[in-house]
Amino acid sequence: MLDQAAAGDWAALRPALAAVTDGAELTWLVMTIVDRPRVEEWSARAVAEAPDDTLALLVSGARHITWGWEARSSARAKHVSEDQWKLFHERLEIAEEQLLEVAEREPSWLAPWYFLQISARGISLGPEIATCRFEAAVRRAPEHPASHRQRLQQLCAKWGGSHDEMHEFARSAMLAAPEGSPLGELVVLAHLERWIDLPDGEDHAYLTSPTVLAELQEAAFRSVLHPDFVPTRGWQSTFNTFAMAFSLADQPRTARLLFDALDGAVTESPWHYLAGDPVKAFKAHRDRAAAY
């Protein structure tokens, strides 16, 4: 499917997407497909040729979000130029229009509500709309990890939330889910978000503090290291998050359990938080844990 997306072969790709009946699976596939370059070109043609094709509209809307962030870049807001902001907003506004149309046509679909959380945050639609869109997503898939990650981002201080809101959401979501749920990752992501905002020295002291270590351990043994945990699509990203956090927190024994389970499956997130190549960072931390 990635090859079809890269080649712009919508005629081959569409039947494969149409055959997917699970909402979380369709969302994950579209998330992955729209990372391919030039998807905006062939998806725009597909929508123009068949305006009633809701799948084409979904792909186009989702791609405009990724494409918008490519224009904005990952730089801090103060380093983004006026032209970048303009292009970012133009693309997200197109995404909004298309994805809201998808949601209206297909009320049961999770995918548009997942992506609409991202566009709402990008164009600052405010906390009420952001909350409504998260709630719409979890009504369709109550334990959808990716939607919960987007909600966590919305509550981060860098997006207008606060550390307290972020941590409260992460912990309450973990405790509300059954043991073995991947939502324990939210607790770890919240601590990594707090860690990355701290100056050198304070960041390491934060992750290695007894309170944070206890919360990391609780999250791990309530989720990925719980006997009831069942790997689902995207489990590697969750394990990478835990592995990095435990490695940074000087807990090589637990980190090694996670690295061994990954067996070399590295994901860009969360290693992009560290300077340099994510694969090199993964290998360095994995090797350090292996030497324990």
Side-chain angles (χ1 to χ4, degrees):
M1 293 174 80
L2 288 174
D3 289 342
Q4 292 163 356
D9 191 356
W10 179 238
L13 179 57
R14 192 195 184 287
L17 285 177
V20 178
T21 57
D22 181 78
E25 177 78 355
L26 177 63
T27 304
W28 184 86
L29 288 167
V30 174
M31 286 166 58
T32 308
I33 287 165
V34 298
D35 273 341
R36 302 290 94 176
R38 296 182 297 280
V39 169
E40 69 281 356
E41 297 173 7
W42 59 257
S43 61
R45 289 195 298 269
V47 171
E49 291 167 5
D52 293 334
D53 187 344
T54 308
L55 274 175
L57 198 63
L58 171 63
V59 172
S60 178
R63 174 56 186 167
H64 273 81
I65 291 176
T66 307
W67 198 30
W69 244 273
E70 288 174 5
R72 182 199 181 282
S73 81
S74 59
R76 293 282 185 175
K78 63 183 179 181
H79 299 303
V80 179
S81 71
E82 185 177 340
D83 287 343
Q84 285 178 291
W85 279 120
K86 182 180 178 182
L87 195 53
F88 177 58
H89 280 264
E90 286 175 356
R91 292 173 180 176
L92 290 195
E93 285 165 6
I94 293 171
E96 283 274 311
E97 180 181 349
Q98 293 184 334
L99 292 169
L100 287 169
E101 176 66 22
V102 172
E104 185 173 342
R105 292 184 193 178
E106 296 290 347
S108 66
W109 282 12
L110 162 68
W113 295 109
Y114 166 76
F115 290 109
L116 283 165
Q117 291 182 78
I118 306 172
S119 56
R121 187 167 70 249
I123 55 180
S124 303
L125 293 183
E128 290 185 6
I129 290 177
T131 299
C132 287
R133 291 181 177 185
F134 170 68
E135 290 174 348
V138 296
R139 277 198 300 272
R140 290 155 178 81
E143 290 182 47
H144 187 228
S147 289
H148 282 79
R149 291 188 200 110
Q150 293 304 330
R151 181 59 177 167
L152 185 77
Q153 282 296 308
Q154 181 71 48
L155 297 174
C156 286
K158 64 187 177 186
W159 287 107
S162 68
H163 293 316
D164 288 344
E165 287 179 283
M166 174 183 68
H167 286 297
E168 182 181 354
F169 167 73
R171 182 162 179 79
S172 62
M174 178 186 72
L175 294 178
E179 293 188 351
S181 167
L183 294 187
E185 178 192 13
L186 297 170
V187 171
V188 183
L189 287 170
H191 283 304
L192 288 176
E193 287 287 347
R194 187 77 173 269
W195 162 81
I196 202 169
D197 269 350
L198 293 169
D200 289 345
E202 290 183 33
D203 52 358
H204 183 260
Y206 173 78
L207 277 183
T208 55
S209 67
T211 300
V212 172
L213 286 177
E215 292 187 9
L216 294 177
Q217 292 282 352
E218 179 190 28
F221 286 99
R222 193 180 173 89
S223 56
V224 293
L225 297 181
H226 192 278
D228 292 339
F229 177 80
V230 178
T232 56
R233 181 73 80 181
W235 69 269
Q236 297 93 335
S237 177
T238 300
F239 269 68
N240 272 270
T241 298
F242 275 101
M244 186 178 106
F246 277 108
S247 183
L248 290 171
D250 295 337
Q251 299 294 304
R253 181 181 178 185
T254 309
R256 182 171 180 173
L257 288 174
L258 298 154
F259 281 118
D260 286 350
L262 283 164
D263 192 27
V266 57
T267 55
E268 183 176 5
S269 177
W271 300 100
H272 66 288
Y273 281 141
L274 304 177
D277 178 12
V279 175
K280 289 182 179 178
F282 172 91
K283 288 180 176 179
H285 283 266
R286 179 197 61 187
D287 293 349
R288 189 176 73 171
Y292 172 72

